[in-house]
Amino acid sequence: MMMLIVSIIMSLLVIPGALAAEEPQAQKSPTIHDTLSAGAPSLEAIAGYIFGVPVPAGNYDFAKRVSYMFPRPWEERLTGAQRERAIWEALILHYESFRRHVTVSDEELTKRIDSVLQSRQQPFTKTGDPEAYARWVKEQLGESVEQFENQMRYLSQVDKLTDQVRESTAVTVTEEEMQDEALKQWIEDLKTSAQLKVLPLPEPAATSP
């Protein structure tokens, strides 16, 4: 059952290629769904395990790229080790959001995208000027609209899950700080139950100057 859920998750993501350490670059590569469909991947293709289920390197690369391109305020000053933990935490939360059937509507997705455009000081919206929107994604982010929107849906799904968990504590916890602490504890408990195991990935081949 868990593998079926993972297959559904992977099929919804368009995975960019291997990432540089500081500024990951968008590259075309097979989706995780393609990787799984090809048969059992080798150890080199597995980044780790969540709930005993293998996480292909492509899924990890996707989450890593999102973390670098669209960091939350608290992620901007993370050390390398702290960011690595944040990437895996997001992957666990995303997995959990599918287990809980958390979905993101088209309206919610558009709102998220427009928020990003506004934060980047763009004078248009996704639906207001689709051509300008598509051009901005290609020229500024170096990826397709589909890739970008998958990234936004991924972030929205994680945020929606954490919002739901926070709200579920409102009956017994009324102070906002206590709600945040309850959420942090829930995430830590989830990470423990996920039994995360991270595997070393091969270093990217050096390119000739």
Side-chain angles (χ1 to χ4, degrees):
M1 179 62 181
M2 285 189 178
M3 183 59 74
L4 175 59
I5 295 173
V6 171
S7 298
I8 295 172
I9 296 173
M10 309 311 185
S11 67
L12 296 176
L13 302 180
V14 177
I15 306 302
L19 308 177
E22 293 300 326
E23 296 184 2
Q25 300 295 317
Q27 298 179 17
K28 183 178 180 181
S29 66
T31 65
I32 295 181
H33 179 69
D34 295 334
T35 302
L36 293 178
S37 298
S42 63
L43 287 178
E44 289 76 16
I46 297 299
Y49 290 82
I50 294 174
F51 298 103
V53 178
V55 178
N59 202 19
Y60 166 80
D61 286 346
F62 176 92
K64 183 176 181 179
R65 177 172 172 80
V66 172
S67 177
Y68 276 102
M69 290 185 65
F70 309 103
R72 293 171 171 82
W74 59 270
E75 291 181 317
E76 293 179 352
R77 297 184 180 181
L78 294 182
T79 65
Q82 290 171 334
R83 183 176 293 276
E84 185 72 9
R85 288 195 293 270
I87 290 169
W88 280 103
E89 180 179 295
L91 282 167
I92 292 171
L93 289 171
H94 189 239
Y95 182 90
E96 180 66 12
S97 73
F98 271 88
R99 296 210 302 179
R100 292 182 176 227
H101 306 291
V102 176
T103 60
V104 177
S105 68
D106 291 342
E107 181 180 356
E108 290 170 328
L109 178 62
T110 297
K111 184 177 180 180
R112 178 91 184 212
I113 290 170
D114 287 346
S115 176
V116 171
L117 292 172
Q118 184 178 19
S119 71
R120 303 293 177 95
Q121 300 181 334
Q122 298 305 308
F124 51 84
T125 63
K126 175 182 182 293
T127 57
D129 193 339
E131 291 184 2
Y133 163 64
R135 185 167 56 252
W136 178 82
V137 171
K138 180 178 180 181
E139 295 178 357
Q140 298 300 316
L141 304 182
E143 57 192 21
S144 70
V145 168
E146 184 181 10
Q147 285 176 309
F148 173 59
E149 293 185 357
N150 282 341
Q151 293 164 355
M152 294 299 98
R153 191 177 296 277
Y154 165 83
L155 288 173
S156 296
Q157 202 161 348
V158 169
D159 287 348
K160 196 168 183 179
L161 170 66
T162 56
D163 286 345
Q164 289 181 0
V165 173
R166 183 183 286 108
E167 290 171 2
S168 71
T169 66
V171 175
T172 56
V173 181
T174 56
E175 295 292 335
E176 184 176 350
E177 291 185 2
M178 294 180 68
Q179 285 184 309
D180 289 341
E181 286 302 316
L183 174 62
K184 290 178 183 178
Q185 185 58 54
W186 177 83
I187 291 175
E188 289 304 313
D189 292 343
L190 179 65
K191 288 161 64 176
T192 299
S193 66
Q195 298 180 319
L196 171 65
K197 179 181 179 182
V198 179
L199 301 181
L201 291 173
E203 294 293 330
T207 56
S208 301

